[in-house]
Amino acid sequence: MFSGLLRTIQLGVKSLLLHPMRSALTVLGIFIGVASVIWLLAIGEGISIEAQRQIASLGARNIIVRTVEPPTEKIGDARVAMYGLKHAEYDMLIETIPQISRAVPIREIKRLISYGPNEVDGRLVGSTPDYFHATKLEIDQGRLLNAADVEKRKDFCVLAKEVAQKLFPYQDPIGKKVFLSESSDYYEVVGVLKPRTATAAIGGSFSGQDFSKDMYIPLKTMNQRMGRTIWSRRAGTFRGEQIELNQITLRVHRIEDVIPASQLIKDALRVHNDKGDIETVVPLELLEQAKTTRLMFMVFMGLIAA
């Protein structure tokens, strides 16, 4: 038996040596086929892991409710369009849903931020101190906003690193006052954040967020200074938008509470269903969907490899 096996190997080697070009092309074909499958699997795995990382960065125990602009026919021709989340709804959610451990209200407005001749077309964000923890923003200079700043409606602000570098290229920004021309307000800089990578769009209304052009102020200060209605020029006419809150990020006590709490939140905000001016994003559900998609992709590629 051993001699027969040895003879078979010898005949095989001899056949390969008799046709070197054909043997080389065969080996090359096998190599390309196997390498292609490995590369495709590696690329797919990398994309899947990055997608899961982006979703996980939103927080597995978080539930995000975000204001979206409804269709024009839902708004009508009113000069001031009123839609989205309300402060009363924020209070109602934290008072009636026991699974919620923390809630972060957020309001966002596009604003031109300036210091002397330097200007940045940025995003003004009004929130509470919990916002920095929820979005994993870390301080680089100075300090973050605190509860006293919010309650006392202080004219303090924290700048993103890129905004601080553009407004103060050769100066220490701490203690300086930046200017918002639209509202003619000054805000004292108390902190500068470390750079943070942008988040990718996660489907639905949750578009990618770029934190590099942000300026953060206390929410109560924003409401007092900016008012409820924001005016903008569209098609040659001025039109107002009254949006009390752009987003509420809610955190529950346990992973097991996420799905039941998200259903309670949707039921509590069902008044918005007809208008379609809010959307609820549950990162845990998206994460499970991403894992299922990854498994299906791996099975499919495995079948191709086989």
Side-chain angles (χ1 to χ4, degrees):
M1 181 179 178
F2 179 74
S3 61
L5 180 61
L6 182 61
R7 181 173 176 78
T8 301
I9 293 174
Q10 289 174 341
L11 288 173
V13 172
K14 184 178 180 180
S15 178
L16 289 174
L17 295 175
L18 285 173
H19 306 283
M21 181 61 72
R22 185 174 67 185
S23 301
L25 291 175
T26 301
V27 172
L28 180 62
I30 294 171
F31 170 78
I32 292 174
V34 174
S36 298
V37 172
I38 293 173
W39 290 337
L40 284 172
L41 286 173
I43 292 170
E45 181 75 0
I47 293 172
S48 175
I49 290 173
E50 178 61 19
Q52 291 180 57
R53 187 191 68 79
Q54 290 282 357
I55 296 170
S57 70
L58 299 177
R61 288 195 287 141
N62 287 348
I63 301 167
I64 301 166
V65 187
R66 191 161 179 82
T67 293
V68 296
E69 186 173 355
T72 306
E73 59 270 17
K74 297 286 186 179
I75 299 177
D77 297 326
R79 195 180 178 198
V80 178
M82 295 182 291
Y83 61 89
L85 294 162
K86 306 288 191 294
H87 285 281
E89 292 170 331
Y90 165 79
D91 294 333
M92 178 264 294
L93 290 175
I94 60 177
E95 289 171 4
T96 59
I97 300 179
Q99 293 97 327
I100 295 174
S101 62
R102 184 175 64 203
V104 182
I106 303 164
R107 189 181 179 195
E108 304 165 355
I109 305 173
K110 293 289 185 182
R111 279 290 181 266
L112 185 67
I113 310 166
S114 62
Y115 180 79
N118 303 322
E119 296 181 341
V120 174
D121 192 9
R123 181 178 68 158
L124 184 66
V125 180
S127 191
T128 62
D130 284 335
Y131 177 86
F132 301 102
H133 178 74
T135 52
K136 298 179 174 60
L137 293 169
E138 299 178 355
I139 196 70
D140 185 43
Q141 294 176 254
R143 66 170 179 87
L144 297 172
L145 298 174
N146 56 41
D149 298 334
V150 177
E151 290 303 317
K152 295 180 180 179
R153 296 174 171 82
K154 291 289 188 179
D155 298 330
F156 292 159
C157 70
V158 173
L159 301 179
K161 187 71 171 181
E162 185 176 320
V163 175
Q165 289 174 339
K166 288 183 177 179
L167 295 181
F168 306 96
Y170 309 110
Q171 302 178 58
D172 181 358
I174 305 302
K176 303 292 192 303
K177 291 189 176 183
V178 297
F179 180 65
L180 302 182
S181 57
E182 291 90 339
S183 54
S184 300
D185 293 328
Y186 286 92
Y187 293 88
E188 181 181 340
V189 180
V190 296
V192 176
L193 299 172
K194 292 181 180 179
R196 190 204 189 286
T197 55
T199 60
I202 312 291
S205 67
F206 204 88
S207 57
Q209 294 195 54
D210 181 8
F211 298 93
S212 64
K213 300 186 185 306
D214 287 355
M215 170 177 160
Y216 304 94
I217 65 173
L219 179 60
K220 289 187 177 181
T221 302
M222 175 184 277
N223 290 336
Q224 184 181 54
R225 290 295 188 91
M226 307 294 172
R228 300 293 187 185
T229 304
I230 304 300
W231 295 92
S232 60
R233 190 177 183 86
R234 295 184 181 180
T237 60
F238 282 98
R239 187 173 183 182
E241 284 186 331
Q242 193 174 103
I243 303 173
E244 294 187 20
L245 292 172
N246 293 84
Q247 180 177 311
I248 302 173
T249 300
L250 303 155
R251 189 174 181 85
V252 299
H253 293 284
R254 303 174 302 162
I255 289 287
E256 295 79 9
D257 294 331
V258 171
I259 303 303
S262 66
Q263 190 56 54
L264 289 173
I265 291 168
K266 291 175 183 177
D267 290 341
L269 299 175
R270 61 183 178 274
V271 67
H272 292 273
N273 290 348
D274 291 338
K275 202 169 187 178
D277 57 346
I278 68 166
E279 189 157 289
T280 304
V281 178
V282 184
L284 181 64
E285 289 182 344
L286 297 175
L287 192 58
E288 293 300 324
Q289 292 173 9
K291 289 179 179 178
T292 302
T293 303
R294 175 193 173 206
L295 180 61
M296 293 174 60
F297 181 80
M298 295 298 289
V299 170
F300 178 69
M301 293 306 300
L303 291 173
I304 292 177

